[in-house]
Amino acid sequence: MPAIVLAAKRERSLLRRHPWVFSGSIQEVRGDPQPGAAVDLLSRKGEWLARATYSPESAIRARVWTFDRDEPLDAAFCTRRVALAVDLRRRIYGGELPQACRLLNGEGDGLPGVVADRYGEVIVVQLLTWGGELLREELAAALREAVPCRCVFERSDTNARTREGLAAQVGSIWGDAPAGTIEICEDGLTFLVDIRSGHKTGFYLDQRENRRLVGSRSAGRDILNCFCYTGGFTLHALANGATSAVSIDSSQEALDLAATHVERNGLAAGSIEFQRADVFQALRRFRDSRQDFDLIVLDPPKFADTKGQLDRASRGYKDINLLGLKLLRPGGELFTFSCSGAMTTELFHKIVADAALDAGREVVVLHELRQAPDHVVSTAFPEGRYLNGLHLAVR
Ligand code: SAH
């Protein structure tokens, strides 16, 4: 088997079971591995450390799949890893798999770059790295075995694939993909998921528990939901007795689906408004016209993909949080999020604290929020935590 020999002392992170090897840590590549090939990782002294797959174009040159020398990367391996991951979801949710949930969360499940989400009878897969690319059929077969379904659909069309030197790939791996959208149920609410062109694999499953929390704080309140996508937070707020809801997104398609969701769930009775706008401008308009709210959600897209973009991203987060806090009535509450992997929890909290200071509001933290537990984070791979949030109240 081809091998990668690490430079002196570069095995340290692997001994702590971190699964990434950066190009700068490599002393020598032996045996001319092809992209996606399994390679043994060796210390400079020749000790066997782990088995990885090779990504020649990526700064993350190798990703570890197993620390067990006797474990080849084959169909049986995929079956074991997928079964472990699915069993974990069953335990997280008390026996039954939720109809809509994340089944595989990449490195968090020991499957680098492999994501799988369940939407009823369809499983949507993203293979973000070369290793997953070569295990496509084995992974799809393992998923079918672990979870009853009628289609395994691939949505490998993200920037991460470009960084690996892989072309986009969208379509069914197994079974007939349903025409149109898929209906899912979340806390008694129905949502339509567009697996072909929706964001991520079609729905923001990572906010499930946070949507529930927003719902629980919404009765009798005027809500502003910024970056609303297909209306997740709005629906939960309305179903729990919000008096009114203004929801903003820049995507007309997302807003149309959000409006459909309101209708389908029989919630159209209240005062409901969907606005196609840029949130940065809309918040300024509300400030200038002195429109205020009891509860605001700020759930923007990823502002920073890399550490290099953090400065600019920080200014964006500061801006919307400052404006959001200004628009809250006394006693109002803000739910604010960052899904930028490069943004640390500490930095996000500092930005929000600075925003409170500049907004001249006295703010308390009611809850620190994170991604849903099925988006598992391994202790060996803390980078797996990408969603940070705060539930705040102004005095
Ligand atoms: N809260 C949603 C997910 C939000 S995803 C949920 O729980 O389902 C981020 C959304 O922000 C996307 O729908 C995207 O269309 C929208 N968006 C991105 N930039 C924007 C901007 N500047 N103004 C308004 N919406 C924007």
Side-chain angles (χ1 to χ4, degrees), residues 41 48 99 108 131 194 212 236 249 260 286 339 378 395:
L41 300 180
W48 192 93
Q99 206 192 37
D194 181 349
R212 191 175 296 158
H236 281 260
D249 203 279
T260 308
F286 293 133
C339 63
S378 159
R395 278 199 227 268

Side-chain angles (χ1 to χ4, degrees), residues 199 204 207 211 227-229 232-233 249-251 277-280 299-301:
H199 294 179
Y204 287 87
Q207 290 283 24
R211 283 191 284 263
F227 309 98
C228 70
Y229 189 49
F233 284 107
D249 203 279
S250 55
S251 157
D278 174 42
V279 165
F280 292 83
D299 184 24

Side-chain angles (χ1 to χ4, degrees), residues 160-364:
R161 269 188 72 102
T162 321
R163 284 196 292 275
E164 283 276 302
L166 283 162
Q169 179 83 26
V170 177
S172 171
I173 306 176
W174 174 82
D176 290 328
T181 51
I182 299 172
E183 188 176 297
I184 58 159
C185 181
E186 181 181 270
D187 292 346
L189 294 165
T190 60
F191 290 93
L192 300 175
V193 178
D194 181 349
I195 59 166
R196 283 182 188 75
S197 52
H199 294 179
K200 304 232 251 189
T201 59
F203 198 67
Y204 287 87
L205 292 170
D206 53 357
Q207 290 283 24
R208 184 196 305 109
E209 277 73 7
N210 298 327
R211 283 191 284 263
R212 191 175 296 158
L213 181 61
V214 165
S216 75
R217 310 294 300 178
S218 294
R221 296 182 136 172
D222 294 319
I223 312 288
L224 172 63
N225 182 10
C226 296
F227 309 98
C228 70
Y229 189 49
T230 60
F233 284 107
T234 308
L235 268 281
H236 281 260
L238 291 171
N240 286 282
T243 309
S244 75
V246 177
S247 307
I248 300 173
D249 203 279
S250 55
S251 157
Q252 190 59 49
E253 271 167 297
L255 290 167
D256 290 345
L257 207 46
T260 308
H261 289 153
V262 170
E263 290 281 332
R264 277 176 89 100
N265 287 282
L267 296 167
S271 158
I272 297 158
E273 212 183 301
F274 289 102
Q275 294 182 9
R276 181 179 188 187
D278 174 42
V279 165
F280 292 83
Q281 291 169 12
L283 290 172
R284 287 181 165 74
R285 268 202 311 278
F286 293 133
R287 179 196 60 194
D288 295 345
S289 62
R290 300 186 177 277
Q291 188 170 350
D292 54 8
F293 301 90
D294 299 309
L295 189 156
I296 299 178
V297 178
L298 297 173
D299 184 24
K302 210 184 328 182
F303 286 163
D305 243 332
T306 61
K307 286 203 175 114
Q309 298 164 350
L310 260 186
D311 267 358
R312 195 164 162 265
S314 300
R315 286 196 292 279
Y317 288 115
K318 168 91 181 285
D319 190 49
I320 55 174
N321 280 285
L322 195 163
L323 288 161
L325 285 166
K326 280 192 173 175
L327 299 182
L328 281 174
R329 293 175 191 149
E333 293 178 23
L334 176 68
F335 290 81
T336 180
F337 299 95
S338 156
C339 63
S340 301
M343 171 70 70
T344 62
T345 307
E346 292 68 32
L347 180 56
F348 182 62
H349 289 188
K350 176 161 190 315
I351 291 168
V352 174
D354 288 349
L357 206 58
D358 289 5
R361 304 302 296 259
E362 220 184 300
V363 175
V364 296

Side-chain angles (χ1 to χ4, degrees), residues 100-140:
C101 67
R102 174 145 298 190
L103 299 169
L104 306 177
N105 195 46
E107 280 79 350
D109 286 302
L111 293 164
V114 180
V115 168
D117 289 336
R118 177 188 201 208
Y119 297 116
E121 293 183 304
V122 179
I123 297 173
V124 183
V125 175
Q126 283 183 327
L127 306 172
L128 306 178
T129 60
W130 263 109
E133 173 76 11
L134 293 197
L135 290 168
R136 174 181 283 111
E137 296 300 328
E138 290 84 349
L139 288 164

Side-chain angles (χ1 to χ4, degrees), residues 39-54:
V39 290
D40 284 330
L41 300 180
L42 308 176
S43 73
R44 208 166 82 139
K45 293 182 185 142
E47 294 140 325
W48 192 93
L49 298 166
R51 185 158 294 128
T53 52
Y54 186 49

